Amino acid sequence: MVVCEVATGKIRALVSRPDYKLSALDKAIENTAEPLLNRALCNYNIGSVFKPLVAGVGCEQGKTLTVDCKGYTNIDGLNFTCHNLGGHGLMNIKDAIKFSCNSYFYNFVQLLDVNGLLSTAKIAGMESGVILAPNLVAAKGSFGSIARREPTKRELANLSIGQGELLLSPITITNLYMAVANGGSYRMPSLIEGEVTDGKLTSKTPLPAEVRLFSQNTAARLKEYLAAVLEEDGTGKKANPTL
């Protein structure tokens, strides 16, 4: 789990499980679950949290689409399934984020200018590592061979839902969500507040430069769509603390 201030990019919490006790490092070293590995800094097939980037690029490119989700999409002779095998029915872009509909994004990504999608991902820092402190670095993201050649329709489908060759860390994907929450721009995550001398903060670390990822209009749309995940009958409704 990563908690950042959206306006500054300052990291206020990094949580990795399993944890360990400082008084029992010998046991932590021997633990095969590797509690000393900070998983917030590691790369993964990041999954559906990548979908808002695809949606945002589509909004910027003026793309619209309605998809009848039947639980699968056939792409060049191969069925790509949705997590709802029974199908979601008719989906627009807001519904697709609210219900995390794979079928929608398999189709929507095919409409996009791929170079525009990859360049936006690069602007979001998704191909960069994040140096938080000496020996504390978030892994450099990777798009695999897709970044070097024209991807196939199947590869694009996997990419649209954060799978395939795509590898990103929780730290890196945070940039996307800070931009959505902050009107379209973000600052690279930072951890060090400043230098302390004799128990007093003597100098502050300058804030990283602000990076524009989306227009304010696109950011507002994505924010509305993501709020629906929690506030309406979306996939995250049970995570809403007010309900």
Side-chain angles (χ1 to χ4, degrees):
M1 181 176 69
V2 182
V3 179
C4 287
E5 292 180 357
V6 297
T8 65
K10 292 181 179 181
I11 296 172
R12 295 310 187 193
L14 274 180
V15 179
S16 179
R17 294 286 185 172
D19 59 1
Y20 60 92
K21 293 182 179 180
L22 289 174
S23 59
L25 289 179
D26 55 335
K27 294 181 179 179
I29 291 172
E30 296 172 358
N31 190 336
T32 57
E34 299 183 284
L36 295 177
L37 177 65
N38 191 330
R39 288 164 170 79
L41 309 179
C42 299
N43 276 344
Y44 306 92
N45 283 129
I46 204 72
S48 292
V49 292
F50 184 76
K51 290 174 180 175
L53 181 79
V54 178
V57 171
C59 290
E60 296 280 83
Q61 294 180 5
K63 306 298 184 182
T64 58
L65 184 67
T66 300
V67 170
D68 185 7
C69 173
K70 301 181 184 299
Y72 68 92
T73 297
N74 188 282
I75 301 176
D76 288 343
L78 182 67
N79 284 342
F80 282 67
T81 60
C82 188
H83 70 89
N84 183 348
L85 298 179
H88 287 108
L90 289 177
M91 292 276 104
N92 58 29
I93 192 168
K94 178 180 178 179
D95 293 332
I97 289 181
K98 182 168 68 173
F99 296 112
S100 195
C101 178
N102 292 350
S103 297
Y104 185 91
F105 283 95
Y106 295 150
N107 288 278
F108 188 65
V109 74
Q110 310 297 336
L111 303 179
L112 306 186
D113 170 37
V114 178
N115 290 329
L117 175 61
L118 293 177
S119 64
T120 302
K122 187 173 183 179
I123 293 170
M126 292 184 179
E127 292 184 321
S128 305
V130 182
I131 300 174
L132 301 175
N135 300 316
L136 192 63
V137 181
K140 182 179 180 180
S142 175
F143 284 76
S145 60
I146 290 178
R148 301 186 297 273
R149 59 170 175 76
E150 188 73 22
T152 66
K153 290 183 178 180
R154 291 180 180 181
E155 287 172 330
L156 279 176
N158 276 327
L159 175 65
S160 74
I161 62 167
Q163 300 293 340
E165 294 186 65
L166 177 66
L167 294 171
L168 295 174
S169 71
I171 284 281
T172 302
I173 199 68
T174 302
N175 295 344
L176 167 62
Y177 288 84
M178 285 194 291
V180 171
N182 194 45
S185 62
Y186 76 96
R187 298 180 192 271
M188 194 64 75
S190 60
L191 189 63
I192 298 176
E193 186 76 21
E195 295 183 358
V196 175
T197 303
D198 296 329
K200 294 182 179 180
L201 184 65
T202 55
S203 66
K204 289 189 175 183
T205 302
L207 289 178
E210 194 170 55
V211 179
R212 172 63 60 179
L213 185 62
F214 296 127
S215 67
Q216 288 188 348
N217 181 60
T218 293
R221 289 178 65 182
L222 291 175
K223 190 173 182 179
E224 175 192 345
Y225 303 161
L226 286 166
V229 176
L230 294 172
E231 295 173 355
E232 299 180 20
D233 291 326
T235 54
K237 183 178 180 179
K238 291 182 180 179
N240 189 332
T242 64
L243 297 178

